[in-house]
Amino acid sequence: MAFGAISFFAIIGTSVIFLSSTALLVIEGLWWTPEQKPKRPSVLLFLEGLESYRGDFNIYYANFYEKTGFRRALEDDLTNTREDRLFLYVAAHGTGKRIGGLKAKTGMKLPAMFKAVRSAANYSNIEGVLIGSCSVGNNIDDFISTTKNSHIAWIFGYTCEIGWMASTLIDVSIFEHLMKLRKTDLKDRKKILDAFVKALKRFNGDYTLCKMKGKNIPLKDAITLVVQPRSPGFKAEDETRYLLERLGWAAAEKK
């Protein structure tokens, strides 16, 4: 099988080594202290399940607390990857203005996070970014400016205080379907959106994903998607409303 495919097997003597051209870069902030949850739940176990199921991508994983740790984790992961198709998953606490942090650790300001992602995308082949953090999806202008003039074809995020388990399952579904796209598919806005539709249609748009100020917020009002196809002339655009329409979910006004 040629190396141009998503993956191939190399046979050395009697050993078979699985090689892949795709990597998922996971940068995760710790969610709970040992006192709160001694086993320290992580998104990594869910992603390893997907990796075992699909068997055609590699995972690079790192933790971070603040700006310096985030930048080092991102740069180290990218430096050590040999794959030419990269997906970035940032999973951490979010406030809409900051990301990461735990107790005394304050995390990092969102502009610094977006700057680091944009810088990494300028010298690597990151094609998709998923930010699994509360309220970061409200920063649509930052999503667009981060994607603009980069290799990034899509960025997905959440607009409110998301439930950890439900959002993690949604994130896994998104990677499951978006990783199936071929490089040539990234030139087509519709094919990218089709993959998101397939990833999200297994969920209920009316499911309460967030609770903010005593108000229930359904999944359909809790997501943001920016897409920029890899073709000349295409710009990064907020495709959230179109995605909701394609899913058949009532497209409520963006908050």
Side-chain angles (χ1 to χ4, degrees):
M1 186 178 297
F3 186 72
I6 289 178
S7 59
F8 68 98
F9 288 95
I11 301 178
I12 303 177
T14 58
S15 300
V16 178
I17 301 174
F18 181 79
L19 302 175
S20 174
S21 62
T22 303
L24 175 57
L25 312 177
V26 183
I27 302 181
E28 183 177 30
L30 298 180
W31 302 95
W32 295 279
T33 65
E35 293 80 12
Q36 293 171 323
K37 290 190 181 294
K39 293 189 176 181
R40 309 297 286 273
S42 167
V43 300
L44 181 59
L45 294 177
F46 292 83
L47 299 170
E48 288 176 337
L50 178 62
E51 179 190 26
S52 298
Y53 173 69
R54 285 199 42 163
D56 60 0
F57 69 92
N58 301 317
I59 296 176
Y60 294 82
Y61 178 86
N63 288 125
F64 80 99
Y65 280 109
E66 32 61 48
K67 179 172 68 174
T68 301
F70 182 90
R71 292 181 61 184
R72 286 178 178 172
L74 184 56
E75 291 169 0
D76 286 348
D77 279 342
L78 292 173
T79 300
N80 289 295
T81 55
R82 63 185 180 278
E83 300 81 359
D84 65 355
R85 299 191 67 183
L86 305 180
F87 295 81
L88 176 62
Y89 184 24
V90 180
H93 287 298
T95 66
K97 295 183 178 180
R98 304 186 74 92
I99 189 169
L102 186 65
K103 296 194 84 172
K105 304 290 186 178
T106 59
M108 63 188 298
K109 294 181 179 179
L110 283 183
M113 187 273 289
F114 284 117
K115 181 179 179 180
V117 172
R118 185 165 55 248
S119 175
N122 285 336
Y123 65 85
S124 68
N125 204 24
I126 296 176
E127 61 186 68
V129 178
L130 198 163
I131 304 177
S133 303
C134 298
S135 305
V136 175
N138 289 312
N139 300 274
I140 296 175
D141 289 343
D142 289 313
F143 274 40
I144 292 174
S145 63
T146 300
T147 309
K148 185 178 180 181
N149 298 324
S150 76
H151 294 293
I152 298 173
W154 57 266
I155 298 184
F156 180 91
Y158 298 95
T159 64
C160 52
E161 296 177 11
I162 50 180
W164 189 86
M165 181 64 73
S167 62
T168 299
L169 295 176
I170 292 169
D171 296 346
V172 170
S173 184
I174 288 173
F175 282 122
E176 176 189 359
H177 287 84
L178 270 295
M179 283 183 170
K180 291 179 181 178
L181 291 177
R182 299 169 298 179
K183 279 188 176 182
T184 54
D185 293 335
L186 299 179
K187 298 179 181 180
D188 190 324
R189 190 181 298 273
K190 182 178 181 300
K191 289 183 178 180
I192 297 173
L193 288 165
D194 285 346
F196 272 97
V197 171
K198 291 176 182 178
L200 293 173
K201 70 179 182 181
R202 57 174 47 144
F203 302 98
N204 187 337
D206 292 317
Y207 173 78
T208 299
L209 187 64
C210 311
K211 292 181 180 292
M212 293 182 64
K213 299 179 180 179
K215 181 180 180 181
N216 294 336
I217 301 177
L219 171 59
K220 65 188 179 185
D221 291 343
I223 58 177
T224 294
L225 173 63
V226 168
V227 174
Q228 177 179 259
R230 288 181 171 179
S231 291
F234 282 105
K235 297 180 179 180
E237 295 183 13
D238 180 4
E239 294 286 1
T240 310
R241 184 173 299 281
Y242 179 68
L243 175 62
L244 296 177
E245 292 173 354
R246 287 285 311 280
L247 286 162
W249 296 350
E253 291 293 325
K254 293 283 289 181
K255 299 298 187 290

